[in-house]
Amino acid sequence: MLIQEGMSLKDKLKILTDAAKYDVACTSSGVERRGKKGYTGNAAEAGICHSFSADGRCISLLKILFTNQCIYDCKYCVNRRSNDVVRTAFTPDEVCSLTMEFYKRNYIEGLFLSSGVLHSPDYTMELIYQTLKKLRQTYRFNGYIHVKAIPGADPVLIEKTGFLADRMSVNLELPTSEGLKRLAPGKTRENILKPMRQIQTGIAVGKQEISVYRGHGRQFVPAGQSTQMIVGATPENDWQMVTVAEALYKNYGLKRVFYSAFVPVNTDASLPAPKGGPPLLREHRLYQADWLMRYYGFKAGELLSEERPNFNVLLDPKCDWALRHLEQFPVEVNRASYETLLRVPGIGVKSARRIVAARRKGSLDFEALKKIGVVLKRAVYFITCSGRQMYPVKIDEDHIASQIIGVERRNVWELENSGMYRQLSLFDDMKLEAAPTGEDICSVVTGVL
Ligand code: SF4
């Protein structure tokens, strides 16, 4: 398909924002930069891009593709070469003026720029670089920019772009090379991991030796890099997804791994047709597990294993872990270490810190824990205060699971899945789909588990 000529900016914007909506790797945390004289915008750690849509996706960046034209034919992608869709592309100046206009009107806090691959990875990366250069140097935009590195592009172009962006991401797309081969034949694992490694090295060098980059006037990718994996397009299980994510955090220093429930936008024999729509609950469980690995000290191998490869649909991964390790409970909140407190369902990172600080002044009781922010509804089964439970509770896996899941939800589940509940509380790989609860959604956004 050829790029349509003479399209209005408004029409381009409509097409290229719509085409970008499947990329979820777009939060803007991790950078703090004050406003600068003569520049527009700032990137403050607590002031930018912290609004989320109901399903936990960040919504305050101008999220666009440079072009929806693409030389590749990834089966799951609406912009793939073989699709008959209207093709268009911005010019660098168009992206700059849109960003500035939206920013000045307070619609956005920054820019998220991705792209289809136009002509070649180098050609596309050059366009992205020229856009960012103009935006920073000509338009003097000092706000947040998240940009994609195009796999296969010249490392020099990626490096130059990295000095203008706050965050960069290269999408892994699918957790295994077999998955890539099947659904994204134009991409290879190696092509994706190479720029990831380059960005990681650039960030590490930049941190150690800022002076090396004085000539550029900016730090290299100061907000770190992220990636995205599609959930449910290929047969990989949750265990494979979390082990890949864990390896990416450990070996590539990633700031975030994003998970995107597969949305079938194309009809293709090699794509699944998920019953009940995109696997949103699975996506939520992966986000919850991700919080546990990044902030709660959990290893992927504690949450799942080859023998138990999928998350429990009814319980969040931390509760599920606790129920399988009842021998480690109850925990005495007045004595337990910070790390042990973090493993208690209902105690998040903030409340664990507050407990450790507050108990220096004296013993804590349940009333104090409530004020600290502990979710007693969950924690009550797993803690004691000065040797006492809040009220006598049976420490039994089925009983606690049943109480935590909630009688109402369980009844609905039982009705819909005739007698599945008990089985699910014991076996967690049923691959059944359900909608995420309000509590699930909240934990994915706030990280409190
Ligand atoms: S490279 Fe693949 S996923 Fe990216 S725009 Fe092209 S077809 Fe879509």
Side-chain angles (χ1 to χ4, degrees):
M1 290 290 292
L2 288 178
I3 287 183
Q4 202 159 306
E5 297 292 332
M7 194 181 280
S8 74
L9 188 55
K10 202 171 147 209
D11 288 341
K12 284 187 186 182
L13 186 62
K14 195 169 173 296
I15 291 169
L16 294 170
T17 45
D18 198 56
K21 72 184 174 199
Y22 299 104
D23 204 313
V24 295
C26 69
T27 60
S28 75
S29 54
V31 66
E32 187 158 21
R33 189 170 56 247
R34 286 170 189 281
K36 205 165 150 188
K37 210 173 164 214
Y39 284 79
T40 303
N42 58 56
E45 193 152 33
I48 184 169
C49 196
H50 284 280
S51 36
F52 293 87
S53 59
D55 61 355
R57 286 158 209 250
C58 178
I59 51 168
S60 65
L61 298 175
L62 171 61
K63 189 170 159 190
I64 47 174
L65 294 190
F66 190 90
T67 178
N68 64 339
Q69 174 76 297
C70 194
I71 56 170
Y72 295 128
D73 204 38
C74 307
K75 307 272 191 243
Y76 47 81
C77 178
V78 70
N79 306 313
R80 66 182 187 177
R81 191 182 57 214
S82 56
N83 273 7
D84 185 16
V85 295
V86 178
R87 307 282 174 171
T88 187
F90 286 124
T91 63
D93 274 312
E94 284 172 339
V95 174
C96 293
S97 58
L98 279 173
T99 308
M100 297 306 284
E101 288 307 314
F102 280 131
Y103 193 89
K104 283 178 192 160
R105 289 186 185 131
N106 252 344
Y107 294 163
I108 56 153
E109 306 278 359
L111 171 68
F112 173 88
L113 185 62
S114 182
S115 187
V117 182
L118 184 59
H119 302 318
S120 71
D122 279 352
Y123 187 87
T124 315
M125 201 69 230
E126 175 70 36
L127 279 170
I128 290 176
Y129 165 65
Q130 290 302 337
T131 306
L132 262 60
K133 193 173 169 210
K134 274 198 166 173
L135 194 51
R136 292 292 194 209
Q137 293 174 5
T138 312
Y139 291 78
R140 303 178 85 73
F141 179 69
N142 194 36
Y144 182 87
I145 301 177
H146 177 162
V147 76
K148 290 277 161 193
I150 308 290
D154 186 339
V156 175
L157 281 171
I158 292 177
E159 183 180 301
K160 288 200 291 186
T161 308
F163 282 110
L164 299 165
D166 289 291
R167 174 166 288 186
M168 282 187 106
S169 52
V170 193
N171 282 354
L172 191 66
E173 308 289 19
L174 298 160
T176 58
S177 13
E178 296 78 59
L180 271 180
K181 231 178 266 165
R182 232 168 94 187
L183 298 190
K187 297 180 179 176
T188 63
R189 202 72 191 279
E190 200 196 1
N191 262 4
I192 295 171
L193 293 179
K194 202 173 148 202
M196 234 183 226
R197 178 69 79 210
Q198 183 195 349
I199 296 167
Q200 178 197 25
T201 310
I203 293 170
V205 172
K207 272 187 190 152
Q208 279 166 15
E209 214 174 316
I210 298 265
S211 60
V212 168
Y213 297 119
R214 270 196 195 131
H216 296 276
R218 307 186 69 89
Q219 209 185 323
F220 183 82
V221 192
Q225 66 169 325
S226 55
T227 193
Q228 166 180 302
M229 284 193 280
I230 304 169
V231 182
T234 39
E236 289 92 356
N237 54 39
D238 295 342
W239 160 243
Q240 286 168 295
M241 303 286 285
V242 290
T243 44
V244 169
E246 187 176 59
L248 290 172
Y249 286 126
K250 201 168 149 234
N251 304 332
Y252 287 82
L254 259 72
K255 198 94 177 178
R256 284 296 301 269
V257 174
F258 290 87
Y259 307 90
S260 176
F262 170 63
V263 181
V265 288
N266 300 325
T267 319
D268 196 299
S270 50
L271 291 172
K275 275 186 232 135
L280 288 178
L281 182 62
R282 211 182 145 201
E283 179 196 274
H284 274 74
R285 291 282 177 261
L286 287 164
Y287 273 119
Q288 288 171 323
D290 202 83
W291 280 102
L292 294 180
M293 294 194 293
R294 283 184 300 137
Y295 297 111
Y296 288 74
F298 280 88
K299 301 263 180 289
E302 291 179 281
L303 301 172
L304 292 174
S305 62
E306 258 174 61
E307 296 71 42
R308 213 181 131 270
N310 289 304
F311 288 114
N312 189 326
V313 290
L314 292 180
L315 285 167
D316 72 67
K318 188 175 173 190
C319 260
D320 190 51
W321 174 85
L323 284 176
R324 285 183 286 111
H325 292 86
L326 283 177
E327 76 286 353
Q328 298 189 27
F329 297 100
V331 157
E332 170 53 51
V333 281
N334 285 301
R335 280 197 309 272
S337 67
Y338 172 73
E339 291 73 25
T340 306
L341 289 170
L342 278 182
R343 296 198 160 222
V344 176
I347 298 184
V349 171
K350 242 191 224 166
S351 40
R353 277 195 203 131
R354 285 181 187 152
I355 289 171
V356 172
R359 71 189 181 188
R360 285 192 200 115
K361 295 178 194 141
S363 281
L364 301 175
D365 57 18
F366 286 98
E367 201 42 45
L369 291 182
K370 200 171 159 193
K371 283 188 193 142
I372 275 172
V374 172
V375 185
L376 285 175
K377 198 172 78 178
R378 288 175 162 242
V380 71
Y381 306 100
F382 305 99
I383 54 173
T384 55
C385 278
S386 307
R388 288 206 191 94
Q389 287 186 309
M390 191 168 163
Y391 45 78
V393 287
K394 211 161 107 190
I395 305 292
D396 167 83
E397 183 181 342
D398 275 356
H399 174 73
I400 301 174
S402 154
Q403 296 303 308
I404 288 176
I405 291 163
V407 176
E408 204 181 312
R409 195 168 173 228
R410 194 190 68 194
N411 287 345
V412 172
W413 186 267
E414 276 185 334
L415 268 179
E416 287 172 358
N417 300 281
S418 55
M420 277 297 191
Y421 164 69
R422 195 185 150 76
Q423 232 177 328
L424 277 166
S425 72
L426 301 172
F427 304 105
D428 310 314
D429 56 353
M430 299 301 292
K431 279 279 200 181
L432 293 169
E433 233 348 300
T437 62
E439 212 177 327
D440 280 329
I441 290 167
C442 185
S443 70
V444 163
V445 176
T446 61
V448 179
L449 283 149

